[in-house]
């Protein structure tokens, strides 16, 4: 099932950020039962080989690997799709013009501007899928990340772009854009998040968010978010390591 179709299901989809850039940890997290894992190419130390290794590591499990590209530029989008990622989260989408360029980069001509590869592309089964070039654009889910004051003002226009399947609120960068760097729980930021959610709902597109805590995640579920990140692999490891030492020392 495509991720955009799964978003229309009966329950919200719960995910976990992957920032360790390691196939071992990605496989461990895939076994835990999350609906999706976000493989982070923006802030994590990922390369194309590590992105591929993590995609292969989670392949046996019923989890959607979502890749966050470093930025919404065609080269990275092309490479991530060629590797076999079907769902992309694109950071810092601030306008409909940017959104249209992002969508175009995910489609082969005549639907877009994506560079053509088939026999050398893992996504096409290295040429085994004869219909890949014709159908590839039908199987891509594009998520625009809303994380700036400018994006807040353009949600309707961004969501209206054909090919933008969902919108995801990033509280960290949004807080910085609103003058509250490092304070995503500030009332002004939380108010902006609520306004953004309402705006996304009016467009009819699914809304997602990075939850700041378990309590925040439970709140976002009650608010009707369709997909929610519960944390990061780094956070789980660092807190677990500290808790274990504290329990014994």
């Amino acid at each position: 099932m495509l991720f955009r179709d799964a978003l229309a299901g009966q329950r919200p989809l719960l995910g976990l950020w992957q920032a360790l850039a390691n196939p071992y940890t990605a496989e461990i997290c895939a076994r835990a039962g999350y609906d999706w894992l976000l493989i982070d190419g923006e802030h994590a130390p990922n390369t194309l080989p590590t992105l591929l290794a993590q995609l292969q590591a989670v392949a046996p499990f019923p989890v959607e690997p979502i890749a966050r590209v470093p930025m919404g530029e065609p080269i990275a989008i092309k490479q991530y799709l060629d590797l076999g990622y079907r769902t992309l989260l694109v950071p810092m989408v601030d306008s409909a013009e940017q959104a249209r360029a992002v969508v175009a980069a995910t489609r082969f001509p005549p639907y877009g501007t994506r560079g053509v590869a088939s026999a050398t592309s893992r996504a096409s089964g290295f040429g085994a899928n004869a219909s890949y070039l014709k159908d590839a654009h039908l199987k891509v889910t594009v998520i625009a990340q809303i994380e700036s004051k400018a994006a807040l003002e353009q949600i309707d226009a961004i969501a209206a772009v054909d090919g933008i399947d969902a919108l995801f609120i990033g509280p960290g960068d949004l807080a910085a854009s609103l003058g509250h760097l490092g304070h995503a729980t500030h009332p002004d930021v939380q108010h902006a998040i609520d306004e953004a959610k309402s705006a996304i709902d009016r467009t009819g597109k699914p809304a997602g968010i990075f939850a700041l805590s378990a309590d925040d995640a439970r709140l976002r579920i009650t608010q009707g978010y369709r997909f929610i990140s519960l944390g990061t692999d780094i956070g789980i490891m660092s807190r677990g390591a500290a808790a274990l030492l504290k329990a014994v020392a």
Side-chain angles (χ1 to χ4, degrees):
M1 178 182 293
L2 300 179
F3 191 69
R4 65 169 177 263
D5 295 331
L7 288 172
Q10 296 299 310
R11 62 177 182 82
L13 305 181
L14 305 180
L16 185 69
W17 232 248
Q18 301 294 290
L20 287 168
N22 188 290
Y24 249 43
T25 52
E27 181 178 348
I28 291 169
C29 293
R31 291 176 181 273
Y34 288 91
D35 298 301
W36 56 275
L37 299 177
L38 189 287
I39 315 298
D40 191 5
E42 183 186 17
H43 292 299
N46 271 303
T47 63
L48 290 177
T50 64
L51 290 163
L52 172 59
Q54 289 168 89
L55 188 58
Q56 292 170 323
V58 306
F61 305 98
V63 62
E64 180 71 14
I66 302 175
R68 179 161 71 169
V69 295
M71 60 186 297
E73 56 88 24
I75 294 176
I77 289 172
K78 171 177 60 179
Q79 291 174 321
Y80 281 46
L81 292 175
D82 285 350
L83 287 179
Y85 284 98
R86 301 186 309 169
T87 304
L88 300 182
L89 176 65
V90 182
M92 296 293 184
V93 178
D94 293 336
S95 68
E97 181 181 9
Q98 284 180 279
R100 283 191 290 270
V102 164
V103 171
T106 68
R107 275 112 165 106
F108 295 122
Y111 307 107
T113 59
R114 179 182 172 188
V116 176
S118 179
T120 60
S121 168
R122 180 177 179 272
S124 72
F126 305 105
N129 182 353
S131 65
Y132 178 73
L133 294 178
K134 181 179 68 175
D135 299 339
H137 67 285
L138 302 175
K139 299 177 181 178
V140 174
T141 297
V142 180
I143 305 168
Q145 193 158 352
I146 304 299
E147 48 187 346
S148 72
K149 184 177 180 181
L152 291 178
E153 298 169 352
Q154 297 295 319
I155 284 175
D156 288 348
I158 293 168
V161 172
D162 186 27
I164 294 296
D165 298 299
L167 295 91
F168 185 89
I169 300 170
D173 278 296
L174 183 57
S177 179
L178 296 175
H180 301 290
L181 178 63
H183 298 284
T185 59
H186 191 281
D188 290 348
V189 180
Q190 292 300 304
H191 176 71
I193 289 173
D194 291 341
E195 291 293 306
K197 173 61 165 54
S198 296
I200 295 170
D201 287 347
R202 288 194 296 271
T203 72
K205 297 288 178 74
I209 194 167
F210 190 105
L212 302 175
S213 66
D215 287 341
D216 189 44
R218 285 188 284 268
L219 171 65
R220 302 310 179 188
I221 290 172
T222 66
Q223 291 176 332
Y225 282 87
R226 299 305 304 151
F227 59 120
I228 303 162
S229 173
L230 303 186
T232 70
D233 53 0
I234 288 178
I236 291 171
M237 184 174 180
S238 61
R239 288 192 299 270
L244 179 60
L245 180 60
K246 184 177 180 180
V248 175

